[in-house]
Each structure stands twice: as C-alpha cells, then as structure tokens.
Amino acid sequence: MFLVRNQVQQWKNHCRFSVNTMLSGHRFYKHLLSGRKCVSKNTKTSVSCSYSTEQNDTLPSIKQLSDARVIYAVAAALGHNKESHPESSARVPAIVKALEKMELTPKFRGSDILELQNFNLASVDDIASVHAKAYVSGLEKAMDQASEKGLILIEGSGPTYATSTTFHESLVAAGAGLALVDSVVAASKNQLDPPTAFALIRPPGHHAIPKGPMGFCVFGNVAIAARHAQRVHGLKRVFIIDFDVHHGNGTNDAFLDDPDIFFLSTHQDGSYPGTGKFDEIGIGAGEGATLNLPLPGGSGDTAMRTVFDEVIVPCAQRFKPDIILVSAGYDGHVLDPLASLQFTTGTYYMLASNIKQLAKDLCGGRCVFFLEGGYNLDSLSYSVADSFRAFLGEPSLAAEFDDPAILYEEPSTRVKQAIQ
C-alpha cells in the first residue's frame, strides 16, 4: 500500500492565474517591506507571527548564541492555505507541537535550544538575487486578485496556489532562513562548534525556478540564503544538500553555471517534476558543481546511508565548502503519501547527525536546514523532532515511531548501480 501514490486534488472552481501573464513593469512597494520584523510566537497547538516596524538588531546576543546547540525559527504561513491541499498550514504547527511533546523547546531545554523570535522579512533585493524581478513584482501585484477571489493558482493550471497573504508570508519564510544564516555565522566567529539551525518555514522553495513558482513552492528559500551567505558574509563556497524525495529543480537551475555553489540532490527516480537525471551536472563554469542522484523506488535507510558515505561525503570533502545548507524534505518517509521511498525516522536522524558532523569537519560547523516537503503530519513531525535530537547529540527515539514490519526489501542492486 506504500507504493500507491495519492493524486493531488483536482483544481476546480478556482481562478486560474498564470504569473507569466503578469505585467513586468509594476512598481515594487518597498515601503511595505522595509524595516519589518517577524515576531514568531507558538504554543503547543498554534503558531502565529506578528510584525513591527521597529529598527533594532534582530540577532540573538553572543552569549545566547554561544550557549545554544540548536537554533530555529518558525514561519508557519497560516494564511497561505488551501483546504485538502497536501502543503497545508497544518504542517509547521504539527512540528511545533511535536517539539513541545518531546521536550525539545527552550521551555524544557533552557539555553541549549534557542528560538529566533524576531527577524526581518527578506527584502525584494534578497529575493531578486535568485528570482526575476518581473516575477517578484508580478506576484506582489497578484495579491489584489487573491484578495478578491480568495485563492488563485499561480502556476498556470498547476498545484501552486496563492492567497492574499502569500507574498508577505513568503518574504517571512525567506527572511527566517536569512536570519538563521546570520546567527550561525555570528556564532561561528566565537566558537568552534556553533549551533545547527533549522528554518521551520513554508511555503517550501526548492522547486521555485528563477522565473516563477512551481510544485507548491513560491520563493527559493535555500537558493536565496546561499546568495546571502556569499554577498553578506563572504562565504564564497556553498554546499547544498537536498534530500527531499523530489528533485530540487529550482535550486538546480539557479546555480547551473556557478562553480562556487555545489548542488547535490538525492530523489526518487521518475518522481515529480521529472528532472534531476544523472547527466545534469551543470553548464559552463559550473560544470561538475551539480550532482543529481535519482534513486529507485523502494530505496530506504540502507541506500541512504551508503549514498551519504560514498557520494555526499567525498563530494563535500573535494568541494571544501564555507557553509552547508540543507533542503530537508521529509516526504521520502515510508508513510508519506506522495512518493514511494521507504526512509524511516531513523534515516532522518542519521542524515541530521552526519550532516552536522560533516559541517563541523569542513566548514566550522556552519549548517542551516530548511524545511521542504513532508505531507504525513505524524512522520513529518516525529522526523523533524528526531533531527533536533541528532543536533543535540542525543539518542534517536525513532524506534518508538518506526515499524520495521512495514518495510520491504530494498532494490540494492539498482541502488548500487545508481551510486556507481
């Protein structure tokens, strides 16, 4: 039954709106964006953001950063929601609730875990470092139509939707990632083992191409953070690991010709959007700085452990990054409805633990995770929580959630061929 793929709901009775048809000359409303901050507030059952125009330093203090072992930010985008859509507003609150339940928040852990509650929205210039300005301005203008219609589709007839809050909440999500990069970099200047960061954000980003939205994604959060790390912090070489079950085609396309950003994606062969073949290795000066590894359906924990040891680690060691960014998609879990890999909660614990160690070995511990996919709320929330435990160096609790009885034999021969 885990091989059955649920079809995304048919999009009916909604206005279909193509960003490609939006006028490119609309003025950017920068006065709406400048100086805004997000104040993230969460409880056991809800997550919300409020905003202010106060101008002050939004980074935690040096002492807070030096004490913390994990730092995270929440941008739940509660207004960006479509009923019955897999990428729903329930996703981030489910994670926050699991963190509370498993006592992985500052309330229970004191200074070991730090929630970044004040951060600036990403600016239009931040977004335009990756995306075409015509797309950014057009999406902003489309918010008027979304207000009138309640919900519009911004990917032609595809599954990426927008509500009246989508543009603003997408800036909040991107801004959370930038703030975490800033915090990790600041901490790394004062300690050898800075906190690992996790952006619990939506809408996700790795499918969003430079010219527009795609596959539930609005702005390329990881790609925007990579450019920020280069431009603001002088971290020239950025290594991006994408372990979402789907190929991160947007991130891939953003850096095709850039030799200083290494993009490595593992994903299910033949899954949406059908890109990410072995021969997609970058172009021009960037040839060799892109590596795509499509894995056969049924690949699981053994496959991913082997991939990490035999592919990810050697690539990172050769590239010598200044920072590692991670597109952390949890839709490869065996319980997830949109694909047919059979990763477990333990797989994600392993990835989190090993990537943290890789960053410590190669780039002063600078590492930021960004939430991408994951549509079974239970497997998503437990897996993210176990990733937090990995960051803390604590034992996995995956055995309390995973059921080995539902797993089937992995296609080891085909996995070996893919790695070779």
Side-chain angles (χ1 to χ4, degrees), residues 103-184:
E103 300 185 355
L104 292 168
T105 63
K107 173 182 175 181
F108 299 99
R109 298 303 187 101
S111 60
D112 277 352
I113 298 180
L114 175 64
E115 181 182 359
L116 184 62
Q117 294 189 323
N118 297 277
F119 50 86
N120 293 324
L121 279 68
S123 69
V124 168
D125 287 341
D126 291 325
I127 306 301
S129 69
V130 170
H131 294 287
K133 288 188 176 181
Y135 164 48
V136 182
S137 60
L139 180 62
E140 182 182 23
K141 187 67 175 178
M143 293 300 95
D144 291 337
Q145 186 174 356
S147 295
E148 295 173 4
K149 302 290 184 178
L151 185 144
I152 60 176
L153 296 181
I154 56 174
E155 190 193 334
S157 59
T160 311
Y161 64 88
T163 66
S164 61
T165 63
T166 293
F167 181 76
H168 186 73
E169 290 183 312
S170 296
L171 294 179
V172 175
L178 301 185
L180 289 175
V181 170
D182 293 341
S183 297
V184 167

Side-chain angles (χ1 to χ4, degrees), residues 35 37-38 52 54-62 64-65 116-120 179 182-183 186:
K37 291 183 175 64
C38 173
S52 73
E54 296 177 4
Q55 296 286 346
N56 58 18
D57 186 5
T58 61
L59 288 182
S61 69
I62 294 300
Q64 287 176 306
L65 290 174
L116 184 62
Q117 294 189 323
N118 297 277
F119 50 86
N120 293 324
D182 293 341
S183 297

Side-chain angles (χ1 to χ4, degrees), residues 65 69-73 114 116 176-177 179-185 194-200 324-326 328 356 365-371 388 391:
L65 290 174
R69 300 169 65 189
V70 178
I71 180 171
Y72 69 101
L114 175 64
L116 184 62
L180 289 175
V181 170
D182 293 341
S183 297
V184 167
V185 173
T196 304
F198 205 132
L200 301 176
I324 295 176
L325 306 180
V326 184
K356 175 182 170 63
R366 291 183 288 271
C367 184
V368 183
F369 281 58
F370 295 74
L371 182 67
F388 272 51
F391 299 154

Side-chain angles (χ1 to χ4, degrees), residues 280-345:
E280 296 178 39
I281 60 172
I283 59 175
E287 184 173 329
T290 298
L291 189 148
N292 286 295
L293 178 51
L295 295 170
S299 298
D301 187 75
T302 299
M304 201 61 203
R305 288 175 184 272
T306 306
V307 165
F308 191 88
D309 292 339
E310 297 186 12
V311 179
I312 296 177
V313 169
C315 283
Q317 289 174 336
R318 286 196 296 269
F319 184 68
K320 298 180 175 61
D322 297 312
I323 189 171
I324 295 176
L325 306 180
V326 184
S327 274
Y330 292 82
D331 41 4
H333 198 285
V334 65
L335 297 180
D336 200 273
L338 296 191
S340 57
L341 294 186
Q342 49 173 345
F343 293 172
T344 64
T345 308

Side-chain angles (χ1 to χ4, degrees), residues 126 129-130 174 177-178 181 220-231 233 238 255 323 325 368 370:
D126 291 325
S129 69
V130 170
L178 301 185
V181 170
N221 301 311
V222 164
I224 293 164
R227 285 292 184 227
H228 180 79
Q230 290 178 320
R231 294 190 308 166
H233 298 293
V238 183
F255 305 126
I323 189 171
L325 306 180
V368 183
F370 295 74

